Amino acid sequence: KGFKKAAKQFGIEIIGGDTISNEKLDISITIISKTTNPIYRKGVKKNDLVCYTGTLGHCKRDLKKLFENKEISKQSKFIKPKLNADFFYEIVPFINASLDISDGLFFELERLSKASKVGFKFFHDIDDKIGTSGEEYEVLFTFDKRNKEKIEKIALKHKIKLNIFAKAIKGKYTTDCKNHHF
């Protein structure tokens, strides 16, 4: 029912599935789409501001609880993800690069750094628990500081929290944190 509801909401056609035998439930989703104006990882420009939406860290905490067979809030992103598509589509003309935070902020920054050949100067320290929390259903993006006010107005309109935490500089970014994938 959930898949049908989401497909209808976003105009998605479900064309197939995969059934396997396993001891636990596995769900794998592949989405194929087309766009005339994609936003890539490789678009970061020197002096771009770097921002992520929402709050990070809760998914890592909730995943730990789930592995310990503990309950999590019914508002957890694992149970009720919110994609904020309207916000993202409205800021697209004002951003240079973007990707979702699926593997954790620090690992996504490595991807941006590699694709765009830039480093990042952080405005403040970010705790490893926040920087390595994945499956966040949040967006990481960069933009020219001249677009800051426009993006902030759009965020306010859609009630999206913005976290501008760094700027792009000449160099390379890597993290020393251990990747959480198993």
Side-chain angles (χ1 to χ4, degrees), residues 1 26 32 34 45-46 50 60-62 71 80 82 92 103 106 109 116 118 124 135 149 159 161 167-168 176 179 182:
K1 288 180 183 177
D26 286 324
I32 302 168
K34 293 180 183 179
K45 308 215 180 335
K46 187 178 171 205
V50 186
K60 187 171 188 172
R61 181 200 63 210
D62 287 350
E71 285 192 33
K80 199 170 191 169
K82 188 173 179 196
V92 163
D103 291 331
F106 296 156
L109 285 170
S116 297
V118 296
H124 55 81
E135 309 309 334
E149 193 174 307
K159 299 177 181 159
K161 178 182 176 187
K167 82 173 189 177
D176 294 331
N179 198 313
F182 36 83

Side-chain angles (χ1 to χ4, degrees), residues 45 47-51 123 141-146 148 164-168:
K45 308 215 180 335
N47 293 318
D48 267 5
L49 294 176
V50 186
C51 180
F123 300 141
F141 60 96
T142 73
F143 59 94
D144 187 297
K145 65 183 174 186
R146 293 176 289 188
K148 183 176 184 246
I164 300 170
F165 67 95
K167 82 173 189 177

Side-chain angles (χ1 to χ4, degrees), residues 41 44 97 99 108-116 120 140:
R41 298 173 183 177
V44 183
L99 68 161
E108 307 309 352
L109 285 170
E110 277 190 354
R111 290 181 175 99
L112 283 178
S113 175
K114 185 177 179 181
S116 297
F120 301 105
L140 172 63

Side-chain angles (χ1 to χ4, degrees), residues 27-98:
I27 298 174
S28 177
I29 300 171
T30 302
I31 298 176
I32 302 168
S33 66
K34 293 180 183 179
T35 183
T36 57
N37 189 24
I39 302 298
Y40 295 107
R41 298 173 183 177
K42 66 181 178 183
V44 183
K45 308 215 180 335
K46 187 178 171 205
N47 293 318
D48 267 5
L49 294 176
V50 186
C51 180
Y52 66 86
T53 60
T55 303
L56 304 180
H58 294 193
C59 285
K60 187 171 188 172
R61 181 200 63 210
D62 287 350
L63 181 61
K64 184 179 180 201
K65 285 182 180 179
L66 289 171
F67 279 139
E68 295 169 352
N69 291 321
K70 294 180 181 175
E71 285 192 33
I72 59 175
S73 166
K74 291 180 180 175
Q75 299 306 311
S76 171
K77 293 177 189 179
F78 281 112
I79 295 171
K80 199 170 191 169
K82 188 173 179 196
L83 301 179
N84 300 316
D86 292 338
F87 164 74
F88 185 73
Y89 293 138
E90 196 168 337
I91 67 165
V92 163
F94 309 111
I95 65 176
N96 295 327
S98 181

